[in-house]
Amino acid sequence: DRLLKIKMEKNRQLKIIYTPHDLTFIRMKHQYKIEGDRNILYEAKKLREYEYYLIKNSDIVLIASVDEIRHLVKEGFDETKLVWVPVFYFDKELLENKLYDASNREGLLFVGGFNHKPNVDAMIWFCNEVFPFVVERIPDIKLHIVGSNTSKEILDLESSNIQVHGFVNEEELNNIYSQVRLCVCPLRYGAGIKGKVVEAMYHGVPTVTTNFGAEGLPKIENFPLIVTEIDSAKMANKIVELYYNIQLLNAISKRCKKYIKRFFTEERAVEILYNVFK
């Protein structure tokens, strides 16, 4: 409100550029469908008004999710002020150093901070409902769980097949990425785009996810994510099926790099932001 008053009263040339992390009210509506708490639905309605107010009164809105841009256009917002921007971007030379050969790797990886409720829900659901089916068919498989703010309910998931690393530094995380065969992103609700999914593609590690893990990414239907339904047996079957298909995994890894080169490089980000700020 203060910025808007300055713009209206003191400097009509001032431009407001707004960058939402995601449309939080959309994530909360999906959360309500999972948890059934009407307080969540009430908060989502309040947030919708607030987020729409900010978007309406900004000159440019930088949005990471192409799905959210489509949603806002349907809601009647001016498409010309809605700009897709990659909030994650990588150096092309470092990308080429990310080598992947499924035959030399083993295990699964999930990455996500656990102060974020969708990540907590995803891991509890996956470890209790999906992973036992995987272990039944691959008894020695290991799931690595990486993320800050690990609560007791996440720490209690640890077993002979599950290692909870908690927070790790960048070097340690890169090392884990270099050893695992598959990443998993079993989100049951969310919004925006998922940094963990983009990061896994940057490392060239194929990812099994849900529609919530894949949402918001540009042209992803033509690129390298393996999307399954939120169904424990179907997700487990897909993981097992892929785990032993070395040739397919290596092919998916190459497509991951092509995707990052197209949408998530420093050059791409600079080009978009230059056009906004000039």
Side-chain angles (χ1 to χ4, degrees):
D1 286 344
R2 183 165 170 263
L3 274 176
L4 294 174
K5 287 176 183 176
I6 292 172
K7 179 179 178 180
M8 290 185 288
E9 296 172 9
K10 295 184 178 181
N11 186 351
R12 293 184 179 274
Q13 296 302 111
L14 182 70
K15 302 297 181 186
I16 295 178
I17 298 175
Y18 172 46
T19 309
H21 176 73
D22 58 27
L23 295 180
T24 306
F25 81 88
I26 292 178
R27 168 164 53 83
M28 294 185 75
K29 284 172 66 177
H30 293 309
Q31 182 181 356
Y32 165 72
K33 291 177 183 178
I34 295 289
E35 299 181 10
D37 183 348
R38 295 198 67 83
N39 289 324
I40 295 173
L41 193 60
Y42 174 72
E43 288 298 320
K45 289 178 179 178
K46 288 201 303 183
L47 269 173
R48 179 181 183 273
E49 292 180 13
Y50 182 58
E51 290 180 305
Y52 278 11
Y53 172 81
L54 290 171
I55 293 167
K56 180 181 177 182
N57 289 284
S58 298
D59 296 285
I60 292 290
V61 185
L62 304 179
I63 301 180
S65 166
V66 294
D67 289 341
E68 290 182 355
I69 290 177
R70 285 192 283 265
H71 172 86
L72 291 170
V73 171
K74 286 181 181 178
E75 290 284 282
F77 287 92
D78 180 4
E79 188 172 5
T80 62
K81 75 176 188 179
L82 306 175
V83 179
W84 178 79
V85 61
V87 290
F88 308 96
Y89 51 87
F90 306 96
D91 184 285
K92 280 185 178 179
E93 292 183 12
L94 292 178
L95 179 64
E96 293 304 321
N97 294 331
K98 303 296 180 182
L99 303 177
Y100 178 92
D101 180 355
S103 64
N104 296 328
R105 294 163 171 257
E106 57 185 12
L108 310 177
L109 170 63
F110 173 84
V111 178
F114 292 104
N115 59 345
H116 190 51
K117 285 197 73 175
N119 290 335
V120 177
D121 175 81
M123 271 299 90
I124 291 174
W125 176 72
F126 183 82
C127 291
N128 290 333
E129 304 295 333
V130 182
F131 195 54
F133 288 111
V134 177
V135 172
E136 192 176 296
R137 295 162 70 182
I138 314 175
D140 59 346
I141 195 169
K142 179 161 282 190
L143 168 65
H144 300 269
I145 300 176
V146 172
S148 59
N149 299 295
T150 45
S151 59
K152 184 179 184 302
E153 57 189 342
I154 297 299
L155 292 171
D156 285 347
L157 296 172
E158 183 138 359
S159 70
S160 58
N161 291 97
I162 299 174
Q163 182 175 354
V164 180
H165 296 261
F167 171 80
V168 300
N169 62 36
E170 187 173 355
E171 183 180 352
E172 292 171 315
L173 180 58
N174 288 339
N175 185 51
I176 296 171
Y177 268 119
S178 72
Q179 296 179 42
V180 295
R181 189 175 293 185
L182 270 174
C183 285
V184 292
C185 179
L187 294 172
R188 298 199 296 169
Y189 63 91
I193 69 166
K194 312 307 177 293
K196 60 177 72 64
V197 172
V198 178
E199 183 178 73
M201 286 194 283
Y202 165 64
H203 285 276
V205 182
T207 299
V208 176
T209 187
T210 63
N211 59 313
F212 291 110
E215 70 181 342
L217 293 167
K219 306 288 186 183
I220 197 61
E221 63 276 4
N222 300 322
F223 278 95
L225 283 183
I226 302 98
V227 181
T228 76
E229 296 176 39
I230 302 173
D231 178 281
S232 54
K234 289 180 180 178
M235 179 170 277
N237 287 338
K238 180 56 68 175
I239 289 170
V240 173
E241 174 190 321
L242 278 169
Y243 197 79
Y244 290 117
N245 195 333
I246 302 301
Q247 185 176 355
L248 178 58
L249 287 173
N250 288 340
I252 292 171
S253 177
K254 290 177 182 177
R255 288 163 58 202
C256 286
K257 286 189 176 183
K258 288 182 181 178
Y259 185 79
I260 295 298
K261 283 180 181 177
R262 181 171 176 183
F263 295 106
F264 290 94
T265 62
E266 291 181 12
E267 291 87 346
R268 188 82 171 98
V270 167
E271 176 190 357
I272 292 169
L273 292 175
Y274 176 79
N275 287 330
V276 169
F277 284 101
K278 75 175 181 179

